[in-house]
């Protein structure tokens, strides 16, 4: 199977990391009923525990409120009248409005596939924008929803797509599957909750949209998929959660996640690659590692535990710096950047990792065409 035909859309609202932290600190200050802490107090906390401008330069958003301090005009975060922002219902209405526009833009010039997989953990409306778009196709397009898996969401979608293409006897002869990620992480902030855990999360996530295609046919530029693998780390279920609340989606994130990933990643990689006949030592020496930048410490742990050179994970650090963490859309953006990088030659092996609730560790091995 091959991946290619990448098409990303840059969200229209760009905010520097320092500007976003200033906006968050003001939102937290205004949202508190007791006003015990000043805006400057929250800003100091965000700079102490959140991602710095040296780690994330800027983030991009589909929600126009981020960075805007005319609070009464904000659609999602009118903090002066609604401390936590608008309800889950209105956030999903906004999500559906934006995502329909994104699908329209993607398929304005793009040919339709046989199957379409919509990947997201930040909004669910039925019928979805993917289904409404498929109705306009000149042929039958089957739509599958791959939702609520967080940052590792690309991997289950890849497994689904490969199954659709391989299963001729049941599904018929499929030629192509599009995977479309639409993540609006900025919809799910709660300014009324200024805990240190939430400040780390709010300093990290951004919005992202990207589409790409899996097919039997070798594309002019892309990747050949060689292997996919997934495990759940034992005794880690409390480390990361993503759940529905009345104001939006609430994430919990333990400070121990990077060390838990670090403790598991070497044995995980050994089991995966050796069981499939690959030489781990050779791959460690020669491959490029596309590590989902869940945060700077995640990348650091993979580099350290697998004894990699800094250059082998530079692509992950550069994407984090340029875009922040876009949840499930991040790793496909990383693949797109590797594909467009002339310094990465054809034939280079790409080892990809992503992590999410479970704790789930997902991996893939691909070859750049």
């Amino acid at each position: 199977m091959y991946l290619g035909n990448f098409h990303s859309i840059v969200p229209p609202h760009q905010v520097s990391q320092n500007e976003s932290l200033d906006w968050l600190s003001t939102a937290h200050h205004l949202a508190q009923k007791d006003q015990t802490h000043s805006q400057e107090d929250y800003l100091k906390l965000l700079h102490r525990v959140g991602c710095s401008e040296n780690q994330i330069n800027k983030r991009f958003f589909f929600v126009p409120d981020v960075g805007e301090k005319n609070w009464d005009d904000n659609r999602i975060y009118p903090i002066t009248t609604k401390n936590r922002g608008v309800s889950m219902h209105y956030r999903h209405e906004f999500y559906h409005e934006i995502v329909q526009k994104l699908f329209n833009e993607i398929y304005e010039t793009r040919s339709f596939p046989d199957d379409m997989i919509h990947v997201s953990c930040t909004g669910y409306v039925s019928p979805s924008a993917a289904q409404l778009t498929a109705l306009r196709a000149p042929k039958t397009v089957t739509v599958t929803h791959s939702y609520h898996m967080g940052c590792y969401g690309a991997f289950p979608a890849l497994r689904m797509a490969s199954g659709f293409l391989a299963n001729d006897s049941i599904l018929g002869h499929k030629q192509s599957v599009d995977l479309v990620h639409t993540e609006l992480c900025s919809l799910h902030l709660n300014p009324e909750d200024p805990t240190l855990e939430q400040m780390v999360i709010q300093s990290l996530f951004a919005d992202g949209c990207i589409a790409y295609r899996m097919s039997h046919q070798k594309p002019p530029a892309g990747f050949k998929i060689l292997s996919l693998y997934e495990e759940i780390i034992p005794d880690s279920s409390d480390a990361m959660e993503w759940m529905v609340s009345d104001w939006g989606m609430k994430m919990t994130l333990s400070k121990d996640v990077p060390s838990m990933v670090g403790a598991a990643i070497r044995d995980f990689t050994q089991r995966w690659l050796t069981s499939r006949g690959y030489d781990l030592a050779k791959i460690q020496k020669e491959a490029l590692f596309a590590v989902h930048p869940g945060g700077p410490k995640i990348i650091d742990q993979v580099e350290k535990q697998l004894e990699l050179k800094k250059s082998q994970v530079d692509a992950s650090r550069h994407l984090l710096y340029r875009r922040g963490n876009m949840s499930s859309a991040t790793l496909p953006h990383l693949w797109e950047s590797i594909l467009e990088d002339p310094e990465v030659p054809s034939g280079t092996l790409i080892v990809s990792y992503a992590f999410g609730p479970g704790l789930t560790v997902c991996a893939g091995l691909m070859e750049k065409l």
Side-chain angles (χ1 to χ4, degrees):
M1 304 293 179
Y2 298 95
L3 288 186
N5 201 6
F6 284 78
H7 179 172
S8 60
I9 297 175
V10 179
H13 305 288
Q14 172 184 321
V15 183
S16 74
Q17 183 68 341
N18 280 342
E19 289 171 338
S20 73
L21 298 185
D22 182 68
W23 181 83
L24 285 166
S25 65
T26 305
H28 281 305
H29 171 64
L30 293 174
Q32 307 313 308
K33 294 181 175 66
D34 58 16
Q35 297 289 296
T36 302
H37 300 288
S38 68
Q39 183 264 342
E40 290 78 12
D41 292 332
Y42 291 114
L43 186 59
K44 288 178 183 177
L45 282 174
L46 280 161
H47 278 291
R48 179 164 65 87
V49 303
C51 288
S52 72
E53 62 178 338
N54 294 325
Q55 296 162 327
I56 298 176
N57 180 44
K58 64 186 70 171
R59 293 184 282 166
F60 295 80
F61 303 102
F62 291 109
V63 176
D65 299 12
V66 181
E68 295 295 330
K69 294 184 179 179
N70 192 357
W71 303 100
D72 292 340
D73 293 338
N74 284 350
R75 289 186 60 181
I76 308 301
Y77 302 109
I79 307 301
T80 50
T81 56
K82 291 181 171 59
N83 291 26
R84 296 185 298 181
V86 298
S87 69
M88 183 69 150
H89 172 82
Y90 286 108
R91 295 184 200 219
H92 269 77
E93 282 191 338
F94 181 89
Y95 176 90
H96 194 46
E97 173 190 327
I98 296 298
V99 172
Q100 285 185 84
K101 293 177 182 177
L102 293 173
F103 268 88
N104 288 340
E105 181 175 343
I106 290 168
Y107 287 97
E108 184 176 9
T109 56
R110 186 185 185 91
S111 64
F112 280 90
D114 296 314
D115 280 83
M116 185 187 299
I117 300 175
H118 183 206
V119 187
S120 184
C121 69
T122 53
Y124 324 123
V125 177
S126 185
S128 69
Q131 290 172 304
L132 297 176
T133 301
L135 285 172
R136 303 198 308 272
K139 63 177 183 179
T140 299
V141 177
T142 305
V143 175
T144 304
H145 300 122
S146 184
Y147 289 168
H148 211 78
M149 283 174 272
C151 295
Y152 72 89
F155 284 106
L158 289 176
R159 294 203 311 273
M160 291 180 196
S162 63
F164 296 166
L165 292 174
N167 204 337
D168 287 351
S169 60
I170 295 176
L171 300 178
H173 190 56
K174 305 283 188 177
Q175 292 294 323
S176 60
V177 181
D178 272 7
L179 301 91
V180 184
H181 297 248
T182 57
E183 297 289 17
L184 275 66
C185 301
S186 58
L187 275 177
H188 301 292
L189 308 177
N190 178 8
E192 204 175 40
D193 183 2
T195 58
L196 296 183
E197 175 189 52
Q198 292 305 308
M199 288 190 172
V200 171
I201 293 166
Q202 292 165 15
S203 76
L204 177 62
F205 283 91
D207 298 346
C209 174
I210 190 167
Y212 50 105
R213 181 163 294 179
M214 182 186 288
S215 68
H216 293 291
Q217 302 300 317
K218 184 177 179 180
F223 303 96
K224 181 179 181 180
I225 302 175
L226 303 176
S227 179
L228 300 171
Y229 188 64
E230 178 178 322
E231 287 184 7
I232 298 175
I233 300 174
D235 304 317
S236 65
S237 59
D238 294 336
M240 189 187 300
E241 296 176 339
W242 183 244
M243 63 189 73
V244 178
S245 71
D246 54 356
W247 51 265
M249 302 288 193
K250 181 177 181 180
M251 184 178 191
T252 61
L253 181 65
S254 169
K255 62 181 176 58
D256 297 324
V257 167
S259 60
M260 296 172 78
V261 168
I265 196 68
R266 189 177 186 89
D267 288 345
F268 167 91
T269 305
Q270 179 79 32
R271 283 191 297 274
W272 164 42
L273 293 177
T274 56
S275 69
R276 285 154 174 77
Y278 291 101
D279 184 340
L280 176 58
K282 181 178 174 63
I283 287 177
Q284 283 177 275
K285 183 178 179 181
E286 298 178 0
L288 184 67
F289 283 73
V291 183
H292 169 79
K297 292 181 180 179
I298 293 283
I299 305 171
D300 292 343
Q301 281 290 330
V302 173
E303 179 187 348
K304 176 183 176 182
Q305 299 301 328
L306 294 180
E307 301 175 7
L308 305 176
K309 298 187 291 289
K310 180 179 180 295
S311 59
Q312 290 176 279
V313 293
D314 272 351
S316 296
R317 288 200 177 91
H318 291 160
L319 183 64
L320 180 66
Y321 183 75
R322 291 186 292 108
R323 298 293 299 271
N325 183 342
M326 299 170 280
S327 192
S328 78
T330 316
L331 198 54
H333 274 84
L334 187 52
W335 294 333
E336 182 184 46
S337 69
I338 291 169
L339 190 59
E340 294 174 349
D341 186 352
E343 298 298 316
V344 181
S346 298
T348 299
L349 291 179
I350 313 296
V351 179
S352 300
Y353 295 108
F355 317 95
L359 284 171
T360 303
V361 183
C362 293
L365 180 65
M366 302 188 295
E367 179 184 344
K368 183 176 179 180
L369 301 176

